[in-house]
DNA sequence: ATTGAAATAAACGGTAA
DNA sequence: TTACCGTTTATTTCAAT
């Protein structure tokens, strides 16, 4: 799909605030409401925009501890591991990756005791390596236009 | 802040679709529009809801490769590393963590060449360990109510 | 409940292939 | 001319007072 300057302006605005009204969005990108509505619809249908999500602060809802867990899991166990992860409310995200870990899992837990219990439930699938999140110096931020090349 | 069943229903709905109108949200959680409006405002002010963001698919906008990079960086270099990361459009998120890595960085690049160039710009700050993302079996998902204890 | 704002849908006009 | 965007207008829905 073609991403001209206007489309990038729309993406930038909606990544920053997904609850913008179409009217306000139209004003910001200097288009009419129907034009911007049509563009947003196309971006959604083309799979460029995959969803709109409210961010909830884990700390504020009882999860005092976040962690990234790498796990090295042998092929025959992978499906059962994923089933376990999908069923665990502590798991916020899971990536299949190259390198010494098979998967990297983002989890939230109440405290260290809860984290220990969670790890206990998965470490028979493989060796785990846990990195507790101390802070997030760069919180999730917007994807920017890809420069043609170079940098 | 108190999170009763209604508030969790609101959080669940807005995590799933941040662009719900207040009218539709009210209908789903079985409250009046003013009541739900007030609750959302309180959740925002209490820092429970920290923002609303559109998700953009990196693959669809020219970033063919995602990676998680761990870097072990000595204390005196940390600030300069963070400045570099903040200035890099490839960096989507960065966590300060415990363990063998100091930081874990989520990046998007056009291709392996671009990834190599990015690593080249940061690996003088410390030793890097790159995990290329093959797939995301569990995409980012909603935070659920914290069970009192146990599990 | 009332008022103003915003979203949806339809018809019209300009521009480029 | 055809095909494609964008604009304008009118109607319905939504949100704040």
């Amino acid at each position: 799909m073609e991403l001209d300057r206007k489309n990038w302006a729309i993406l930038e605005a909606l990544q920053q605030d997904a609850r913008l009204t179409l009217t306000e969005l139209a004003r910001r990108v200097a288009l009419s409401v129907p034009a911007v509505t049509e563009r947003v619809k196309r971006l959604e249908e083309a799979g460029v925009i995959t969803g709109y999500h409210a961010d909830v602060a884990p700390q504020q809802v009882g999860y005092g501890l976040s962690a990234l867990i790498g796990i090295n899991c042998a092929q025959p166990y992978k499906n059962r591991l994923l089933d376990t992860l999908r069923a665990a409310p502590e798991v916020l995200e899971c990536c299949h990756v190259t390198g010494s870990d098979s998967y990297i899992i983002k989890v939230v837990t109440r405290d260290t005791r809860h984290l220990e219990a969670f790890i206990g439930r998965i470490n028979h699938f493989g060796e785990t390596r846990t990195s507790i999140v101390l802070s997030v110096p760069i919180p999730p931020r917007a994807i920017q236009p890809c420069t043609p090349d170079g940098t």
Side-chain angles (χ1 to χ4, degrees), chain A:
Chain A
M1 162 157 202
E2 192 215 340
L3 290 170
D4 59 11
R5 183 168 299 233
K6 296 281 191 195
N7 277 341
W8 270 111
I10 290 169
L11 291 179
E12 186 181 353
L14 287 178
Q15 286 185 94
Q16 204 261 328
D17 180 6
R19 281 184 73 77
L20 283 177
T21 63
L22 291 172
T23 301
E24 175 60 18
L25 184 58
R27 195 191 61 74
R28 293 201 193 178
V29 305
L31 282 173
S32 69
V33 172
V36 89
T37 304
E38 181 62 23
R39 279 171 178 262
V40 170
K41 208 179 90 191
R42 283 173 182 280
L43 288 167
E44 290 169 355
E45 285 168 355
V48 175
I49 296 175
T50 57
Y52 304 93
H53 304 286
D55 275 18
V56 172
Q59 309 266 359
Q60 301 295 318
V61 298
Y63 294 105
L65 208 58
S66 298
L68 295 168
I69 304 177
I71 184 166
N72 184 334
C73 178
Q75 192 62 45
Y77 297 105
K78 286 188 173 179
N79 279 335
R80 287 207 299 137
L81 170 61
L82 285 177
D83 288 343
T84 302
L85 295 178
R86 270 188 267 267
E90 295 91 347
V91 174
L92 294 191
E93 188 178 358
C94 172
C95 298
H96 188 202
V97 296
T98 65
S100 55
D101 301 318
S102 308
Y103 297 97
I104 294 177
I105 309 157
K106 179 184 278 187
V107 301
V108 287
T109 57
R110 284 184 301 278
D111 48 34
T112 52
R113 190 164 159 277
H114 185 188
L115 176 61
E116 183 178 27
F118 175 80
I119 293 171
R121 277 189 285 134
I122 65 163
N123 65 3
H124 64 277
F125 290 111
E127 196 177 347
T128 60
R129 204 172 44 78
T130 301
S131 298
I132 290 175
V133 175
L134 299 171
S135 63
V136 186
I138 305 178
R141 62 182 186 182
I143 293 187
Q144 294 171 40
C146 208
T147 58
D149 190 53
T151 315

